[in-house]
Amino acid sequence: MEGKNEQRAGLLYGIGAYGMWGLVPLFWPLLEPSGAIEILAHRMVWSLGVVAVALLVVRRWAWIGELVRDRRKLGLISVAAATISVNWGLYIWAVNNGHVVEASLGYFINPLVTIALGVLLLGERLRPAQWAAVAISVAAVLVLAIGYGKPPWVSLVLAFSFATYGLAKKKVNMGGLESLAAETAVLFVPALGFLLWLAATGESTFTAGGTGHGFLLAATGIVTALPLICFGAAAIRVPLSTLGLLQYLAPVFQFGLGVLYFHEAMPPERWAGFALVWLALSLLTWDALRTARRNRALAAELLATAAAAPGATTTATPDAAQQKIT
């Protein structure tokens, strides 16, 4: 019963995280007339404050000394900080300049770009269904490029920057809260310097827009950190396959907002491109679920064989069996 309650809580945390990410396009227009770079700088500065409070609550500080002594991890954190800055800044600009649908496409194709990077940079091997999904996604980009009259640069930069960010996070192997704290610490000084420069030149909107506007800019720290905290809570409670399915909630919400709330144009060629992307993702999801089911069956078979063997002990676990499968 306790395990079911934990999974139910994890599912709610996951829905909360991806739901907030999906609805965040409603927030960025509230920050106008602030420009995308100013909003991004505030997001960096205030996020560090929020995660610092969170770290104080959970009392996790030992990782800082380890990180400072590890130049490789510091380099990876810097790469992660740089790529997430590009991702955040472009996403804010896209939402506030009428490109919500194109931004949602970036997060739809992100899993496919992540797979491609795994093949190109990590030497990973793909199953036939994964190759088919990647091929379909390439066709989708071509269809959209023809429809736009140019490649969907916003979508591609968002997808590749977030996939690179994910790759760096995978390599650095730190907890979500700790890695966010490290990334925002790297970004804090240049972001604060930029905000001080804006204030000195009279270009800052932090106080010029009134108390309410200043409060909204400060709230970017909460808007950044809260979904990540929920995601971290979900990641330790639900299977990775469940998280993989939940990740599509965010771009679905973003796409719906772009079409229904912001009334962005959806000509036939754009629908065709999105349909191909959704087909590729459906194929990818089907393959992931089939593989997970097959692995569970093989794990159960290995455990049963081990239990039936003469002199076998009962210390085997499903995780150990899964290791043997992979």
Side-chain angles (χ1 to χ4, degrees), residues 18 21-25 28 87 90-96 98-113 141 144 148 152-160 162 247-260 262 264-266 270-271 273-275 277-278 281:
Y18 285 108
W21 280 324
L23 295 175
V24 79
W28 302 128
N87 187 271
L90 181 58
Y91 183 73
I92 294 167
W93 177 89
V95 170
N96 286 353
H99 298 279
V100 177
V101 169
E102 193 175 351
S104 75
L105 175 64
Y107 294 107
F108 273 125
I109 65 177
N110 171 249
L112 298 158
V113 173
V141 171
L144 289 165
Y148 279 111
W153 292 116
V154 170
S155 307
L156 293 173
V157 173
L158 286 174
F160 276 92
F162 200 74
Q247 73 175 319
Y248 299 128
L249 282 177
V252 165
F253 286 171
Q254 293 165 9
F255 176 80
L257 286 173
V259 175
L260 302 175
F262 293 102
E264 293 185 13
M266 283 296 292
R270 187 177 286 189
W271 279 113
F274 269 86
V277 170
W278 294 331
L281 293 175

Side-chain angles (χ1 to χ4, degrees), residues 57-291:
V57 172
V58 298
R59 298 181 180 180
R60 290 208 298 262
W61 301 103
W63 59 273
I64 296 177
E66 297 174 7
L67 177 62
V68 170
R69 292 189 294 271
D70 192 329
R71 291 186 179 180
R72 177 179 174 275
K73 278 193 174 183
L74 278 175
L76 288 170
I77 284 292
S78 299
V79 170
T83 52
I84 201 60
S85 297
V86 171
N87 187 271
W88 285 353
L90 181 58
Y91 183 73
I92 294 167
W93 177 89
V95 170
N96 286 353
N97 286 273
H99 298 279
V100 177
V101 169
E102 193 175 351
S104 75
L105 175 64
Y107 294 107
F108 273 125
I109 65 177
N110 171 249
L112 298 158
V113 173
T114 300
I115 288 174
L117 288 182
V119 173
L120 296 174
L121 301 180
L122 303 180
E124 295 179 357
R125 294 183 179 180
L126 299 187
R127 295 182 291 273
Q130 291 175 311
W131 276 115
V134 171
I136 293 170
S137 69
V138 171
V141 171
L142 291 175
V143 169
L144 289 165
I146 294 171
Y148 279 111
K150 59 181 181 180
W153 292 116
V154 170
S155 307
L156 293 173
V157 173
L158 286 174
F160 276 92
S161 61
F162 200 74
T164 305
Y165 173 71
L167 181 62
K169 296 267 281 189
K170 178 181 175 66
K171 290 287 188 181
V172 80
N173 193 27
M174 289 174 63
L177 185 60
E178 291 87 343
S179 61
L180 179 62
E183 292 155 24
T184 50
V186 169
L187 300 169
F188 178 81
V189 172
L192 182 61
F194 177 73
L195 293 177
L196 292 175
W197 176 79
L198 286 180
T201 57
E203 298 294 325
S204 173
T205 64
F206 182 61
T207 55
T211 304
H213 184 71
F215 175 79
L216 286 173
L217 285 171
T220 55
I222 299 174
V223 170
T224 300
L226 188 57
L228 285 166
I229 292 170
C230 288
F231 175 79
I236 62 175
R237 289 175 171 86
V238 299
L240 192 60
S241 57
T242 303
L243 278 180
L245 293 175
L246 288 176
Q247 73 175 319
Y248 299 128
L249 282 177
V252 165
F253 286 171
Q254 293 165 9
F255 176 80
L257 286 173
V259 175
L260 302 175
Y261 182 80
F262 293 102
H263 304 292
E264 293 185 13
M266 283 296 292
E269 58 271 18
R270 187 177 286 189
W271 279 113
F274 269 86
L276 286 172
V277 170
W278 294 331
L279 174 61
L281 293 175
S282 298
L283 184 60
L284 200 63
T285 302
W286 168 79
D287 179 68
L289 292 174
R290 182 188 63 168
T291 302

Side-chain angles (χ1 to χ4, degrees), residues 9-36:
L11 187 62
L12 292 174
Y13 278 124
I15 292 172
Y18 285 108
M20 284 185 278
W21 280 324
L23 295 175
V24 79
L26 296 173
F27 179 71
W28 302 128
L30 300 178
L31 303 180
E32 294 179 331
S34 299

